[in-house]
Protein backbone atom coordinates (compact mmCIF):
# COMPACT_ATOMS: atom_id res chain seq x y z
CA UNK A 1 0.00 0.00 0.00
CA UNK A 2 1.37 3.37 -0.93
CA UNK A 3 1.46 6.05 1.72
CA UNK A 4 0.30 9.64 1.62
CA UNK A 5 1.70 11.32 -1.45
CA UNK A 6 1.48 14.76 0.07
CA UNK A 7 4.95 13.79 1.25
CA UNK A 8 6.02 13.09 -2.32
CA UNK A 9 7.92 15.70 -4.29
CA UNK A 10 5.95 17.99 -6.59
CA UNK A 11 6.13 17.31 -10.32
CA UNK A 12 6.77 19.69 -13.20
CA UNK A 13 5.00 19.30 -16.52
CA UNK A 14 4.60 21.56 -19.52
CA UNK A 15 1.26 22.99 -20.59
CA UNK A 16 1.27 24.66 -24.00
CA UNK A 17 5.03 25.10 -23.66
CA UNK A 18 4.97 26.61 -20.16
CA UNK A 19 6.43 24.76 -17.19
CA UNK A 20 3.91 24.22 -14.39
CA UNK A 21 4.79 22.69 -11.01
CA UNK A 22 1.99 20.90 -9.16
CA UNK A 23 1.69 18.67 -6.09
CA UNK A 24 2.06 14.93 -6.72
CA UNK A 25 -1.30 13.29 -7.34
CA UNK A 26 -2.73 16.24 -9.28
CA UNK A 27 -4.66 15.30 -12.42
CA UNK A 28 -3.82 17.02 -15.70
CA UNK A 29 -7.34 18.52 -15.72
CA UNK A 30 -6.62 20.08 -12.32
CA UNK A 31 -3.22 21.30 -13.54
CA UNK A 32 -4.92 23.03 -16.49
CA UNK A 33 -7.13 24.87 -14.00
CA UNK A 34 -4.07 25.87 -11.98
CA UNK A 35 -2.78 27.78 -14.98
CA UNK A 36 -5.81 30.01 -14.52
CA UNK A 37 -7.22 29.05 -17.91
CA UNK A 38 -8.68 25.63 -17.56
CA UNK A 39 -9.85 25.30 -21.10
CA UNK A 40 -9.10 21.97 -22.71
CA UNK A 41 -10.56 22.31 -26.16
CA UNK A 42 -12.66 24.42 -28.50
CA UNK A 43 -16.00 23.28 -29.86
CA UNK A 44 -16.79 23.15 -33.58
CA UNK A 45 -17.41 26.90 -33.69
CA UNK A 46 -14.34 27.76 -31.64
CA UNK A 47 -16.02 28.41 -28.31
CA UNK A 48 -14.03 27.24 -25.28
CA UNK A 49 -14.86 24.10 -23.33
CA UNK A 50 -13.53 22.74 -20.06
CA UNK A 51 -13.86 19.57 -17.99
CA UNK A 52 -17.34 18.70 -16.75
CA UNK A 53 -17.77 15.16 -15.37
CA UNK A 54 -14.35 14.68 -13.78
CA UNK A 55 -14.50 10.93 -14.37
CA UNK A 56 -13.92 10.01 -18.00
CA UNK A 57 -17.51 10.17 -19.22
CA UNK A 58 -18.08 13.51 -20.97
CA UNK A 59 -14.86 13.78 -23.03
CA UNK A 60 -14.89 17.58 -22.63
CA UNK A 61 -11.48 17.62 -20.94
CA UNK A 62 -9.59 16.08 -23.82
CA UNK A 63 -6.24 17.47 -24.92
CA UNK A 64 -3.04 16.20 -26.53
CA UNK A 65 -0.78 14.55 -23.95
CA UNK A 66 2.71 13.44 -24.94
CA UNK A 67 1.65 13.57 -28.57
CA UNK A 68 -1.45 11.41 -28.11
CA UNK A 69 -4.43 13.45 -29.29
CA UNK A 70 -7.81 13.37 -27.51
CA UNK A 71 -6.49 12.09 -24.19
CA UNK A 72 -8.81 12.62 -21.22
CA UNK A 73 -6.97 14.99 -18.90
CA UNK A 74 -9.19 14.07 -15.94
CA UNK A 75 -7.89 10.49 -16.02
CA UNK A 76 -4.18 11.26 -16.30
CA UNK A 77 -2.07 12.06 -13.23
CA UNK A 78 0.65 14.68 -13.73
CA UNK A 79 4.17 13.37 -14.16
CA UNK A 80 7.49 15.10 -14.63
CA UNK A 81 8.08 16.21 -18.22
CA UNK A 82 4.55 15.46 -19.38
CA UNK A 83 3.76 17.57 -22.44
CA UNK A 84 0.18 18.86 -22.61
CA UNK A 85 -1.19 20.80 -25.56
CA UNK A 86 -4.75 22.18 -25.54
CA UNK A 87 -6.65 23.18 -28.62
CA UNK A 88 -8.83 25.83 -27.02
CA UNK B 1 -0.42 -9.34 -25.28
CA UNK B 2 -2.93 -11.23 -23.21
CA UNK B 3 -4.02 -11.97 -19.64
CA UNK B 4 -5.83 -15.04 -18.37
CA UNK B 5 -7.78 -15.14 -15.13
CA UNK B 6 -10.55 -16.99 -13.32
CA UNK B 7 -12.39 -13.78 -12.53
CA UNK B 8 -12.13 -10.41 -14.20
CA UNK B 9 -13.57 -7.43 -12.32
CA UNK B 10 -14.27 -4.26 -14.27
CA UNK B 11 -14.30 -1.24 -11.98
CA UNK B 12 -12.25 -0.70 -8.82
CA UNK B 13 -14.83 1.26 -6.84
CA UNK B 14 -16.15 -0.21 -3.59
CA UNK B 15 -18.22 -2.79 -5.50
CA UNK B 16 -15.35 -4.10 -7.59
CA UNK B 17 -12.85 -3.98 -4.71
CA UNK B 18 -15.13 -6.02 -2.45
CA UNK B 19 -15.85 -8.62 -5.13
CA UNK B 20 -12.18 -8.94 -6.07
CA UNK B 21 -10.93 -9.16 -2.48
CA UNK B 22 -13.39 -11.83 -1.44
CA UNK B 23 -12.86 -13.94 -4.56
CA UNK B 24 -9.07 -13.68 -4.42
CA UNK B 25 -9.06 -14.60 -0.73
CA UNK B 26 -11.00 -17.72 -1.69
CA UNK B 27 -8.23 -18.66 -4.08
CA UNK B 28 -9.41 -17.41 -7.47
CA UNK B 29 -6.95 -15.79 -9.84
CA UNK B 30 -8.49 -12.32 -10.05
CA UNK B 31 -7.71 -9.44 -12.37
CA UNK B 32 -9.18 -5.97 -11.74
CA UNK B 33 -9.33 -3.34 -14.50
CA UNK B 34 -10.15 0.33 -14.08
CA UNK B 35 -9.92 3.37 -16.32
CA UNK B 36 -8.80 5.53 -13.39
CA UNK B 37 -5.13 5.75 -12.38
CA UNK B 38 -5.85 4.44 -8.85
CA UNK B 39 -8.29 2.09 -7.13
CA UNK B 40 -11.23 3.58 -5.20
CA UNK B 41 -13.84 4.39 -7.81
CA UNK B 42 -15.73 7.65 -7.48
CA UNK B 43 -16.41 7.82 -3.77
CA UNK B 44 -12.90 6.81 -2.65
CA UNK B 45 -11.07 8.90 -5.22
CA UNK B 46 -7.50 9.57 -4.07
CA UNK B 47 -7.90 7.47 -0.90
CA UNK B 48 -5.16 5.08 -2.05
CA UNK B 49 -2.82 8.04 -1.55
CA UNK B 50 -4.49 9.93 1.27
CA UNK B 51 -5.84 7.18 3.49
CA UNK B 52 -8.17 9.63 5.23
CA UNK B 53 -11.37 7.55 5.15
CA UNK B 54 -11.44 4.56 7.50
CA UNK B 55 -13.77 2.38 5.48
CA UNK B 56 -11.80 3.06 2.31
CA UNK B 57 -8.53 2.33 4.08
CA UNK B 58 -9.84 -0.98 5.33
CA UNK B 59 -11.01 -2.15 1.92
CA UNK B 60 -8.00 -0.85 0.03
CA UNK B 61 -5.72 -2.72 2.46
CA UNK B 62 -7.79 -5.86 2.18
CA UNK B 63 -7.69 -5.59 -1.61
CA UNK B 64 -3.92 -5.06 -1.66
CA UNK B 65 -3.41 -8.11 0.59
CA UNK B 66 -5.92 -10.33 -1.24
CA UNK B 67 -3.67 -11.34 -4.10
CA UNK B 68 -5.97 -9.80 -6.74
CA UNK B 69 -4.03 -8.08 -9.52
CA UNK B 70 -4.87 -4.50 -10.44
CA UNK B 71 -4.29 -2.79 -13.78
CA UNK B 72 -5.01 0.95 -13.53
CA UNK B 73 -5.61 3.11 -16.58
CA UNK B 74 -7.15 0.11 -18.34
CA UNK B 75 -10.36 0.76 -20.24
CA UNK B 76 -12.50 -2.13 -21.41
CA UNK B 77 -13.52 -1.23 -24.95
CA UNK B 78 -14.94 -4.38 -26.52
CA UNK B 79 -15.94 -7.99 -25.97
CA UNK B 80 -15.04 -9.73 -29.25
CA UNK B 81 -16.23 -13.15 -28.13
CA UNK B 82 -17.65 -14.83 -25.04
CA UNK B 83 -15.00 -14.93 -22.31
CA UNK B 84 -12.73 -12.34 -23.92
CA UNK B 85 -12.42 -8.61 -23.28
CA UNK B 86 -10.36 -6.09 -25.20
CA UNK B 87 -8.68 -3.51 -23.03
CA UNK B 88 -6.97 -0.27 -24.01
CA UNK B 89 -4.16 0.95 -21.77
CA UNK B 90 -2.49 4.19 -22.75
CA UNK B 91 -1.39 3.84 -26.35
CA UNK B 92 -1.47 0.02 -26.34
CA UNK B 93 -4.02 -2.69 -25.78
CA UNK B 94 -4.37 -6.25 -24.53
CA UNK B 95 -6.93 -9.03 -24.34
CA UNK B 96 -8.25 -10.71 -21.21
CA UNK B 97 -9.56 -14.27 -21.26
CA UNK B 98 -11.76 -14.99 -18.25
CA UNK B 99 -14.08 -17.64 -16.88
CA UNK B 100 -16.25 -15.31 -14.80
CA UNK B 101 -16.76 -11.57 -14.70
CA UNK B 102 -18.02 -9.04 -12.17
CA UNK B 103 -19.22 -5.81 -13.75
CA UNK B 104 -18.74 -2.93 -11.32
CA UNK B 105 -18.65 0.07 -13.65
CA UNK B 106 -20.60 2.35 -11.28
CA UNK B 107 -22.58 5.41 -12.26
CA UNK B 108 -22.24 8.87 -13.70
CA UNK B 109 -24.16 12.06 -13.16
CA UNK B 110 -27.29 12.96 -15.05
CA UNK B 111 -26.61 16.23 -16.85
CA UNK B 112 -29.55 18.22 -18.20
CA UNK B 113 -29.07 21.04 -20.70
CA UNK B 114 -29.81 24.65 -19.75
CA UNK B 115 -28.68 27.89 -21.38
CA UNK B 116 -24.96 28.34 -20.73
CA UNK B 117 -24.28 24.77 -19.62
CA UNK B 118 -21.34 24.46 -22.03
CA UNK B 119 -19.43 27.39 -20.49
CA UNK B 120 -16.13 26.37 -18.90
CA UNK B 121 -16.62 26.37 -15.14
CA UNK B 122 -20.01 24.67 -15.36
CA UNK B 123 -19.52 21.10 -14.18
CA UNK B 124 -21.31 18.25 -12.54
CA UNK B 125 -21.90 18.48 -8.81
CA UNK B 126 -19.89 15.35 -8.08
CA UNK B 127 -17.78 16.12 -11.15
CA UNK B 128 -16.53 19.27 -9.48
CA UNK B 129 -16.10 17.31 -6.26
CA UNK B 130 -13.86 14.64 -7.80
CA UNK B 131 -11.88 17.24 -9.75
CA UNK B 132 -11.22 18.98 -6.42
CA UNK B 133 -10.13 15.66 -4.89
CA UNK B 134 -7.64 15.42 -7.76
CA UNK B 135 -6.16 18.85 -7.04
CA UNK B 136 -8.48 21.26 -8.86
CA UNK B 137 -7.70 24.68 -7.31
CA UNK B 138 -10.86 25.70 -5.46
CA UNK B 139 -9.44 27.72 -2.58
CA UNK B 140 -11.17 31.09 -2.30
CA UNK B 141 -13.43 30.36 -5.27
CA UNK B 142 -17.16 31.07 -5.18
CA UNK B 143 -19.18 27.95 -5.94
CA UNK B 144 -22.89 27.40 -6.53
CA UNK B 145 -24.24 23.84 -6.42
CA UNK B 146 -27.51 22.73 -7.96
CA UNK B 147 -28.87 19.25 -8.12
CA UNK B 148 -30.65 16.76 -6.01
CA UNK B 149 -30.29 14.87 -2.77
CA UNK B 150 -27.40 13.85 -0.57
CA UNK B 151 -24.62 14.11 -3.16
CA UNK B 152 -25.02 17.89 -3.02
CA UNK B 153 -23.92 17.81 0.60
CA UNK B 154 -21.06 15.42 -0.11
CA UNK B 155 -19.78 17.76 -2.83
CA UNK B 156 -20.26 20.85 -0.67
CA UNK B 157 -18.31 19.22 2.15
CA UNK B 158 -15.37 18.35 -0.11
CA UNK B 159 -15.28 21.82 -1.66
CA UNK B 160 -15.58 23.46 1.76
CA UNK B 161 -12.76 21.36 3.22
CA UNK B 162 -10.50 22.43 0.33
CA UNK B 163 -11.14 26.11 1.07
CA UNK B 164 -13.84 26.74 -1.53
CA UNK B 165 -16.66 29.13 -0.71
CA UNK B 166 -20.00 27.40 -1.31
CA UNK B 167 -22.45 30.28 -1.78
CA UNK B 168 -25.66 28.37 -2.27
CA UNK B 169 -27.01 24.83 -2.54
CA UNK B 170 -30.11 24.40 -4.68
CA UNK B 171 -31.98 21.09 -4.37
CA UNK B 172 -34.61 20.51 -7.03
CA UNK B 173 -36.58 18.16 -4.78
CA UNK B 174 -40.10 19.34 -4.25
CA UNK B 175 -40.74 19.10 -0.55
CA UNK B 176 -38.90 19.93 2.64
CA UNK B 177 -39.36 16.40 3.90
CA UNK B 178 -37.20 15.22 1.02
CA UNK B 179 -34.46 17.47 2.22
CA UNK B 180 -34.77 16.14 5.73
CA UNK B 181 -34.50 12.67 4.25
CA UNK B 182 -31.19 13.73 2.76
CA UNK B 183 -30.02 15.24 6.02
CA UNK B 184 -30.89 12.12 7.92
CA UNK B 185 -28.48 10.10 5.85
CA UNK B 186 -25.64 11.91 7.46
CA UNK B 187 -26.62 10.54 10.84
CA UNK B 188 -26.44 6.98 9.57
CA UNK B 189 -22.83 6.07 9.16
CA UNK B 190 -24.00 2.91 7.47
CA UNK B 191 -25.98 4.80 4.86
CA UNK B 192 -24.99 6.51 1.66
CA UNK B 193 -22.92 9.22 3.25
CA UNK B 194 -20.46 9.15 6.07
CA UNK B 195 -19.46 11.80 8.56
CA UNK B 196 -22.11 13.28 10.85
CA UNK B 197 -19.97 16.36 11.41
CA UNK B 198 -20.52 17.49 7.85
CA UNK B 199 -23.94 19.04 8.22
CA UNK B 200 -22.67 21.00 11.18
CA UNK B 201 -19.88 22.39 9.05
CA UNK B 202 -22.30 23.37 6.34
CA UNK B 203 -25.03 25.06 8.34
CA UNK B 204 -23.81 28.45 7.25
CA UNK B 205 -24.40 27.65 3.57
CA UNK B 206 -27.83 28.82 2.39
CA UNK B 207 -29.70 25.84 1.00
CA UNK B 208 -33.12 25.54 -0.52
CA UNK B 209 -35.37 22.84 -1.89
CA UNK B 210 -37.54 23.65 -4.90
CA UNK B 211 -34.55 25.45 -6.35
CA UNK B 212 -32.73 24.91 -9.61
CA UNK B 213 -30.52 26.58 -12.23
CA UNK B 214 -32.23 28.54 -14.99
CA UNK B 215 -29.09 29.62 -16.84
CA UNK B 216 -25.34 30.07 -16.54
CA UNK B 217 -23.95 33.33 -17.86
CA UNK B 218 -20.54 34.58 -18.90
CA UNK B 219 -18.50 35.14 -22.03
CA UNK B 220 -15.56 32.72 -21.99
CA UNK B 221 -16.40 31.05 -18.70
CA UNK B 222 -19.17 31.08 -16.14
CA UNK B 223 -19.42 34.40 -14.31
CA UNK B 224 -22.88 34.20 -12.81
CA UNK B 225 -25.89 31.97 -12.50
CA UNK B 226 -29.62 32.59 -12.57
CA UNK B 227 -31.63 30.36 -10.24
CA UNK B 228 -35.24 29.70 -9.55
CA UNK B 229 -35.57 29.53 -5.76
CA UNK B 230 -39.06 28.61 -4.56
CA UNK B 231 -40.60 30.51 -7.44
CA UNK B 232 -38.39 33.60 -7.16
CA UNK B 233 -35.56 34.35 -9.53
CA UNK B 234 -32.14 34.89 -8.01
CA UNK B 235 -28.89 35.96 -9.57
CA UNK B 236 -25.52 34.99 -8.07
CA UNK B 237 -22.01 35.80 -9.22
CA UNK B 238 -19.73 32.76 -9.00
CA UNK B 239 -16.54 31.17 -10.29
CA UNK B 240 -17.87 27.64 -10.61
CA UNK B 241 -21.28 26.08 -10.97
CA UNK B 242 -21.91 22.42 -10.21
CA UNK B 243 -25.19 21.30 -11.79
CA UNK B 244 -26.39 17.72 -12.22
CA UNK B 245 -29.46 15.75 -11.31
CA UNK B 246 -28.71 12.47 -9.61
CA UNK B 247 -26.82 9.49 -10.98
CA UNK B 248 -27.42 7.01 -13.78
CA UNK B 249 -25.66 3.62 -14.01
CA UNK B 250 -22.90 3.13 -16.61
CA UNK B 251 -24.65 0.50 -18.68
CA UNK B 252 -22.47 0.41 -21.81
CA UNK B 253 -20.40 -2.61 -20.81
CA UNK B 254 -23.31 -4.70 -19.42
CA UNK B 255 -25.24 -3.94 -22.61
CA UNK B 256 -22.27 -4.83 -24.77
CA UNK B 257 -21.99 -8.20 -23.02
CA UNK B 258 -25.67 -8.88 -23.55
CA UNK B 259 -26.96 -8.38 -19.99
CA UNK B 260 -30.65 -7.54 -19.64
CA UNK B 261 -31.44 -3.97 -18.57
CA UNK B 262 -34.74 -2.87 -17.09
CA UNK B 263 -35.73 0.53 -15.64
CA UNK B 264 -32.23 1.80 -16.24
CA UNK B 265 -30.51 -0.91 -14.17
CA UNK B 266 -28.95 -4.31 -14.85
CA UNK B 267 -31.30 -7.23 -14.17
CA UNK B 268 -29.80 -9.84 -11.80
CA UNK B 269 -31.05 -12.77 -9.72
CA UNK B 270 -30.51 -13.09 -5.98
CA UNK B 271 -26.99 -14.39 -6.65
CA UNK B 272 -26.34 -11.20 -8.65
CA UNK B 273 -26.01 -13.19 -11.87
CA UNK B 274 -27.04 -11.42 -15.05
CA UNK B 275 -28.68 -13.39 -17.83
CA UNK B 276 -25.22 -13.95 -19.35
CA UNK B 277 -23.73 -17.10 -17.78
CA UNK B 278 -20.80 -16.34 -15.47
CA UNK B 279 -21.33 -12.57 -15.54
CA UNK B 280 -22.38 -10.73 -12.35
CA UNK B 281 -23.25 -7.08 -11.81
CA UNK B 282 -22.79 -5.12 -8.58
CA UNK B 283 -22.90 -1.64 -7.08
CA UNK B 284 -24.59 1.26 -8.84
CA UNK B 285 -25.30 -0.93 -11.87
CA UNK B 286 -28.17 -2.44 -9.89
CA UNK B 287 -29.75 0.98 -9.34
CA UNK B 288 -28.25 3.88 -7.41
CA UNK B 289 -27.66 2.76 -3.82
CA UNK B 290 -24.33 4.20 -2.69
CA UNK B 291 -21.27 2.77 -1.00
CA UNK B 292 -23.09 0.27 1.19
CA UNK B 293 -24.92 -1.32 -1.67
CA UNK B 294 -21.66 -1.49 -3.63
CA UNK B 295 -19.80 -3.21 -0.79
CA UNK B 296 -22.53 -5.69 0.08
CA UNK B 297 -23.28 -6.65 -3.53
CA UNK B 298 -19.58 -6.82 -4.31
CA UNK B 299 -18.96 -9.21 -1.44
CA UNK B 300 -21.92 -11.32 -2.41
CA UNK B 301 -20.89 -11.58 -6.07
CA UNK B 302 -17.31 -12.37 -5.05
CA UNK B 303 -18.49 -15.23 -2.85
CA UNK B 304 -20.80 -16.61 -5.52
CA UNK B 305 -18.06 -16.39 -8.16
CA UNK B 306 -15.72 -18.30 -5.85
CA UNK B 307 -18.46 -20.81 -5.06
CA UNK B 308 -18.40 -19.95 -1.36
CA UNK B 309 -21.44 -20.00 0.97
CA UNK B 310 -23.20 -16.64 1.37
CA UNK B 311 -23.80 -15.69 5.04
CA UNK B 312 -27.52 -14.92 5.66
CA UNK B 313 -26.54 -11.61 7.28
CA UNK B 314 -25.18 -10.41 3.97
CA UNK B 315 -28.45 -11.22 2.24
CA UNK B 316 -30.40 -9.40 4.94
CA UNK B 317 -28.35 -6.22 4.66
CA UNK B 318 -28.87 -6.30 0.92
CA UNK B 319 -32.64 -6.19 1.41
CA UNK B 320 -32.38 -3.14 3.67
CA UNK B 321 -30.18 -1.37 1.17
CA UNK B 322 -32.55 -2.00 -1.70
CA UNK B 323 -35.35 -0.30 0.23
CA UNK B 324 -33.10 2.68 0.78
CA UNK B 325 -32.20 2.77 -2.92
CA UNK B 326 -35.87 2.92 -3.85
CA UNK B 327 -36.33 5.99 -1.58
CA UNK B 328 -33.34 7.65 -3.17
CA UNK B 329 -34.66 7.05 -6.69
CA UNK B 330 -37.93 8.79 -5.81
CA UNK B 331 -36.08 11.73 -4.31
CA UNK B 332 -33.74 12.15 -7.27
CA UNK B 333 -36.29 12.05 -10.11
CA UNK B 334 -35.84 15.34 -11.99
CA UNK B 335 -38.86 17.64 -11.79
CA UNK B 336 -40.70 18.65 -14.96
CA UNK B 337 -39.46 22.24 -15.00
CA UNK B 338 -35.94 20.96 -15.61
CA UNK B 339 -37.03 19.46 -18.91
CA UNK B 340 -38.00 22.85 -20.24
CA UNK B 341 -34.94 24.96 -19.48
CA UNK B 342 -33.10 24.46 -22.77
CA UNK B 343 -33.92 26.97 -25.51
CA UNK B 344 -33.83 26.10 -29.25
CA UNK B 345 -30.20 27.17 -29.51
CA UNK B 346 -29.05 25.35 -26.34
CA UNK B 347 -26.79 22.46 -27.33
CA UNK B 348 -28.08 19.01 -26.45
CA UNK B 349 -25.15 17.05 -27.84
CA UNK B 350 -21.97 18.74 -26.66
CA UNK B 351 -19.62 16.69 -28.83
CA UNK B 352 -21.30 17.40 -32.16
CA UNK B 353 -22.67 20.84 -31.22
CA UNK B 354 -26.28 19.85 -31.89
CA UNK B 355 -28.80 22.45 -30.68
CA UNK B 356 -32.23 21.44 -29.50
CA UNK B 357 -33.78 23.03 -32.60
CA UNK B 358 -32.04 20.47 -34.83
CA UNK B 359 -34.12 17.70 -33.27
CA UNK B 360 -37.42 18.97 -34.58
CA UNK B 361 -39.32 16.08 -36.10
CA UNK B 362 -37.17 13.37 -34.52
CA UNK B 363 -39.20 10.83 -32.58
CA UNK B 364 -36.45 8.61 -31.13
CA UNK B 365 -32.74 8.43 -30.46
CA UNK B 366 -32.05 6.58 -33.68
CA UNK B 367 -33.56 9.35 -35.79
CA UNK B 368 -31.78 11.99 -33.73
CA UNK B 369 -28.57 10.11 -34.43
CA UNK B 370 -29.19 9.73 -38.16
CA UNK B 371 -30.57 13.19 -38.91
CA UNK B 372 -28.88 15.41 -36.37
CA UNK B 373 -25.73 13.50 -35.36
CA UNK B 374 -26.81 13.38 -31.71
CA UNK B 375 -24.52 11.02 -29.80
CA UNK B 376 -22.15 10.53 -32.73
CA UNK B 377 -19.21 12.38 -31.19
CA UNK B 378 -16.41 11.54 -28.83
CA UNK B 379 -18.47 10.61 -25.77
CA UNK B 380 -20.80 8.46 -27.86
CA UNK B 381 -23.97 9.69 -26.27
CA UNK B 382 -22.82 9.27 -22.68
CA UNK B 383 -23.91 12.79 -21.81
CA UNK B 384 -26.75 13.55 -24.25
CA UNK B 385 -28.20 10.04 -24.00
CA UNK B 386 -29.38 10.45 -20.42
CA UNK B 387 -30.47 14.03 -21.19
CA UNK B 388 -32.54 12.90 -24.20
CA UNK B 389 -34.05 10.17 -22.07
CA UNK B 390 -35.14 12.69 -19.44
CA UNK B 391 -36.24 15.39 -21.91
CA UNK B 392 -38.04 13.26 -24.49
CA UNK B 393 -38.34 9.81 -22.94
CA UNK B 394 -36.07 8.33 -25.63
CA UNK B 395 -34.44 5.20 -24.30
CA UNK B 396 -30.92 4.01 -25.01
CA UNK B 397 -30.00 1.99 -28.03
CA UNK B 398 -28.00 -1.19 -28.21
CA UNK B 399 -24.33 -0.65 -27.62
CA UNK B 400 -21.99 -1.48 -30.44
CA UNK B 401 -18.28 -2.07 -29.96
CA UNK B 402 -16.12 -0.30 -29.12
CA UNK B 403 -18.10 0.87 -26.08
CA UNK B 404 -15.56 3.65 -25.59
CA UNK B 405 -13.76 5.57 -28.33
CA UNK B 406 -10.62 3.57 -29.09
CA UNK B 407 -7.70 3.60 -31.45
CA UNK B 408 -8.07 1.33 -34.49
CA UNK B 409 -4.97 -0.62 -33.48
CA UNK B 410 -6.53 -1.45 -30.10
CA UNK B 411 -9.37 -3.29 -31.80
CA UNK B 412 -7.18 -5.93 -33.40
CA UNK B 413 -7.43 -9.25 -31.62
CA UNK B 414 -4.18 -11.13 -31.83
CA UNK B 415 -4.53 -14.71 -33.16
CA UNK B 416 -3.35 -16.34 -29.92
CA UNK B 417 -6.39 -14.95 -28.13
CA UNK B 418 -9.12 -15.80 -30.58
CA UNK B 419 -8.85 -19.58 -30.24
CA UNK B 420 -12.01 -21.07 -28.83
CA UNK B 421 -10.20 -23.44 -26.46
CA UNK B 422 -9.26 -21.51 -23.34
CA UNK B 423 -5.52 -21.72 -22.82
CA UNK B 424 -4.17 -21.10 -19.36
CA UNK B 425 -1.01 -19.25 -18.66
CA UNK B 426 0.31 -17.61 -15.58
C1 LIG C 1 -18.43 11.68 -9.75
C2 LIG C 1 -19.07 10.95 -8.60
C3 LIG C 1 -18.72 11.27 -7.27
C4 LIG C 1 -19.30 10.60 -6.21
N1 LIG C 1 -18.96 10.97 -4.94
C5 LIG C 1 -19.56 10.34 -3.89
C6 LIG C 1 -19.28 10.73 -2.52
O1 LIG C 1 -18.50 11.63 -2.27
N2 LIG C 1 -19.91 10.07 -1.52
C7 LIG C 1 -20.79 9.05 -1.77
O2 LIG C 1 -21.32 8.48 -0.84
N3 LIG C 1 -21.07 8.68 -3.03
C8 LIG C 1 -20.49 9.30 -4.09
N4 LIG C 1 -20.83 8.94 -5.37
C9 LIG C 1 -21.78 7.84 -5.56
C10 LIG C 1 -21.02 6.59 -5.96
O3 LIG C 1 -21.53 6.16 -7.20
C11 LIG C 1 -21.11 5.43 -4.98
O4 LIG C 1 -21.18 5.79 -3.68
C12 LIG C 1 -19.96 4.42 -5.13
O5 LIG C 1 -18.79 5.00 -5.61
C13 LIG C 1 -20.44 3.33 -6.03
O6 LIG C 1 -19.51 2.32 -6.11
P1 LIG C 1 -19.39 1.38 -7.38
O7 LIG C 1 -18.35 0.39 -7.02
O8 LIG C 1 -20.72 0.89 -7.79
O9 LIG C 1 -18.90 2.32 -8.57
P2 LIG C 1 -17.76 3.42 -8.71
O10 LIG C 1 -17.18 3.81 -7.43
O11 LIG C 1 -18.35 4.46 -9.58
O12 LIG C 1 -16.63 2.66 -9.53
C14 LIG C 1 -16.76 2.30 -10.89
C15 LIG C 1 -15.40 2.22 -11.52
O13 LIG C 1 -15.51 1.59 -12.80
C16 LIG C 1 -14.62 2.17 -13.68
N5 LIG C 1 -15.08 1.93 -15.06
C17 LIG C 1 -16.29 2.23 -15.60
N6 LIG C 1 -16.35 1.82 -16.88
C18 LIG C 1 -15.15 1.25 -17.17
C19 LIG C 1 -14.61 0.63 -18.34
N7 LIG C 1 -15.32 0.48 -19.49
N8 LIG C 1 -13.34 0.16 -18.27
C20 LIG C 1 -12.61 0.27 -17.12
N9 LIG C 1 -13.08 0.85 -15.99
C21 LIG C 1 -14.34 1.32 -16.02
C22 LIG C 1 -14.61 3.63 -13.30
O14 LIG C 1 -13.39 4.23 -13.67
C23 LIG C 1 -14.79 3.58 -11.78
O15 LIG C 1 -13.57 3.69 -11.09
C24 LIG C 1 -20.26 9.59 -6.46
C25 LIG C 1 -20.61 9.28 -7.78
C26 LIG C 1 -20.04 9.95 -8.84
C27 LIG C 1 -20.47 9.62 -10.24
S1 LIG D 1 -14.01 15.80 -17.46
FE1 LIG D 1 -15.43 14.49 -18.42
S2 LIG D 1 -14.11 13.09 -19.42
FE2 LIG D 1 -12.73 14.29 -18.32
Amino acid sequence: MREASSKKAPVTLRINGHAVTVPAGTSVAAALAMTGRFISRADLSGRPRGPMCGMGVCFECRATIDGVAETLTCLVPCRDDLEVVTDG
Amino acid sequence: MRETCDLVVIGAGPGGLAAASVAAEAGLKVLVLDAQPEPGGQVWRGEARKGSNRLARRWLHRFAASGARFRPGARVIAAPERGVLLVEEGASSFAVRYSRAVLATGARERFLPFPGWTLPGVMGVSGLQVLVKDGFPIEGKRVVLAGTGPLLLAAAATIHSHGGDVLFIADQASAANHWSFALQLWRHPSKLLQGAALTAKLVTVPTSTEAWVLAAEGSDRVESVRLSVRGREEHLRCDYLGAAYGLVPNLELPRLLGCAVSDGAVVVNERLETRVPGVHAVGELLGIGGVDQALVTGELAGLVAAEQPVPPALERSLQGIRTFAAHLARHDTPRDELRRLATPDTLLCRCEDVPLSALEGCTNLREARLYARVGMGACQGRTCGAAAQTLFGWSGEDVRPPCLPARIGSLRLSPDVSSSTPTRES
Side-chain angles (χ1 to χ4, degrees), chain A residues 4 27 34 44 49 52 54 60, chain B residues 45 49 107 124 134-135 350 353:
Chain A
S27 69
M34 287 176 183
L44 301 175
R49 294 283 181 83
M52 176 169 75
E60 289 286 40
Chain B
R45 182 80 75 98
R49 272 174 289 120
D134 285 350
R350 301 169 62 108
D353 292 6

Side-chain angles (χ1 to χ4, degrees), chain B residues 82 101 103 251-262 265-268 272-281 285 398:
Chain B
R82 181 162 284 193
L103 311 180
L251 297 172
E252 285 79 10
L253 188 60
R255 281 206 160 110
L256 187 74
L257 292 176
C259 303
V261 170
S262 166
V266 178
V267 179
V268 291
L272 305 181
E273 289 157 328
T274 68
R275 76 167 171 207
V276 183
V279 176
H280 301 259
L285 289 180
D398 286 348

Side-chain angles (χ1 to χ4, degrees), chain A residues 51-61 72 74:
Chain A
M52 176 169 75
C53 73
M55 55 178 284
V57 162
C58 72
F59 285 69
E60 289 286 40
C61 67
L72 300 185
C74 72

Side-chain angles (χ1 to χ4, degrees), chain B residues 378-399:
Chain B
C379 92
Q380 297 183 329
R382 283 180 161 65
T383 303
C384 60
Q389 162 111 50
T390 307
L391 262 55
F392 312 116
W394 297 346
S395 56
E397 295 182 302
D398 286 348
V399 173

Side-chain angles (χ1 to χ4, degrees), chain A residues 37-81:
Chain A
R37 190 179 146 78
F38 67 114
I39 288 155
S40 35
R41 70 180 194 99
D43 71 12
L44 301 175
S45 18
R47 287 166 302 205
R49 294 283 181 83
M52 176 169 75
C53 73
M55 55 178 284
V57 162
C58 72
F59 285 69
E60 289 286 40
C61 67
R62 58 194 195 266
T64 300
I65 298 183
D66 279 351
V68 182
E70 316 243 302
T71 305
L72 300 185
T73 59
C74 72
L75 294 186
V76 178
C78 291
R79 289 188 304 270
D80 276 321
D81 302 324

Side-chain angles (χ1 to χ4, degrees), chain B residues 106-110 245-251 264 284 288 382 386:
Chain B
R108 56 174 171 261
E109 290 188 277
R110 181 192 281 114
Y245 297 91
L247 302 177
V248 288
N250 291 321
L251 297 172
E284 305 287 47
I288 304 309
R382 283 180 161 65

